[in-house]
Amino acid sequence: MSNELEADRRTIERVTELNALLASCDVLVTEAEMQAIYDRMAQEITQSLSERLPIVLAVMNGGLIVSGQLLSRLRFPLEVSYLHATRYRGSTSGGALKWLAQPDMLLTGRDVLILDDILDEGHTLKAVRDWCEAAGARKVWIAVATDKLHDRKVPNMKADFVGLSVPDRYIFGEGMDYHGFFRNVAGIYALPESH
């Protein structure tokens, strides 16, 4: 069998395996429910920040979907940039924080809104918040689509705007991934309890 045919066979097997996994997962939040959550979050953010001319920072890669959903709902003057700081890099448990890209905007004296997919333990978001404060931000706000319910959070770490609280399970969708896949899935899924 040629290398190309073998690669195609492996790809088809992986696609089949991933689709079977997705079908076995619990749907925690539907796409329609998430749209209503983003509407509510955008209203809350607008009430707090519409007259503050904020810089909005999307945390890559998880915050990509959340940012796309929220930014189009925020109809007031703001500037947008991104950052990339990660602890996961394709695994299901965190490692050391690694900065891949820091924002290139001057934060001095500005309100900064950080958009991300999840507040889990909070190590990454705390590091990002601390970096923004050290860069001179007037106030740092955090908005997350999900807040995981457990007692392992960094002390005093909480988000200003939360879409919903989720159980302490491995979840994906709406920007959160399963080994690099399924960030694009609308709604929030949880791996089966036996997985």
Side-chain angles (χ1 to χ4, degrees):
M1 187 181 299
S2 74
N3 288 343
E4 186 175 314
L5 288 175
E6 177 61 19
D8 287 346
R9 184 190 63 76
R10 284 194 310 265
T11 297
I12 291 168
E13 286 176 359
R14 184 66 172 145
V15 167
T16 302
E17 173 188 315
L18 287 167
N19 284 330
L21 173 75
L22 181 61
S24 74
C25 288
D26 298 324
V27 180
L28 301 183
V29 184
T30 67
E31 179 179 4
E33 290 168 332
M34 279 308 302
Q35 292 303 308
I37 287 167
Y38 290 131
D39 287 341
R40 177 186 47 79
M41 288 181 72
Q43 289 174 357
E44 293 170 359
I45 292 167
T46 298
Q47 288 173 354
S48 296
L49 294 172
S50 63
E51 297 182 6
R52 301 182 79 92
L53 205 63
I55 294 174
V56 180
L57 299 177
V59 178
M60 296 292 117
N61 286 322
L64 178 63
I65 302 297
V66 175
S67 298
Q69 291 289 340
L70 287 174
L71 284 169
S72 63
R73 288 168 163 88
L74 300 178
R75 294 186 172 97
F76 57 85
L78 55 82
E79 292 181 274
V80 178
S81 189
Y82 72 96
L83 60 91
H84 197 168
T86 184
R87 293 179 62 238
Y88 292 96
R89 291 184 296 284
S91 69
T92 58
S93 60
L97 183 71
K98 181 176 181 182
W99 282 94
L100 302 176
Q102 293 179 336
D104 60 356
M105 302 178 82
L106 185 62
L107 305 184
T108 305
R110 300 290 299 275
D111 280 60
V112 175
L113 173 62
I114 300 166
L115 301 179
D116 207 358
D117 53 357
I118 188 167
L119 173 55
D120 192 342
E121 293 180 5
H123 296 283
T124 302
L125 281 171
K126 180 184 183 311
V128 170
R129 182 188 65 194
D130 291 351
W131 184 89
C132 291
E133 289 172 349
R138 176 174 51 200
K139 181 167 180 164
V140 179
W141 308 73
I142 296 174
V144 293
T146 58
D147 184 3
K148 193 175 276 191
L149 296 172
H150 57 66
D151 60 2
R152 299 183 307 276
K153 285 194 176 32
V154 173
N156 302 315
M157 189 63 216
K158 64 181 193 106
D160 300 284
F161 310 99
V162 175
L164 74 152
S165 296
V166 293
D168 190 15
R169 294 175 63 185
Y170 191 91
I171 61 173
F172 61 88
E174 298 295 333
M176 297 170 282
D177 72 302
Y178 173 76
H179 296 287
F181 295 96
F182 297 132
R183 287 188 192 278
N184 57 306
V185 171
I188 296 176
Y189 291 73
L191 289 181
E193 300 274 11
S194 61
H195 197 272

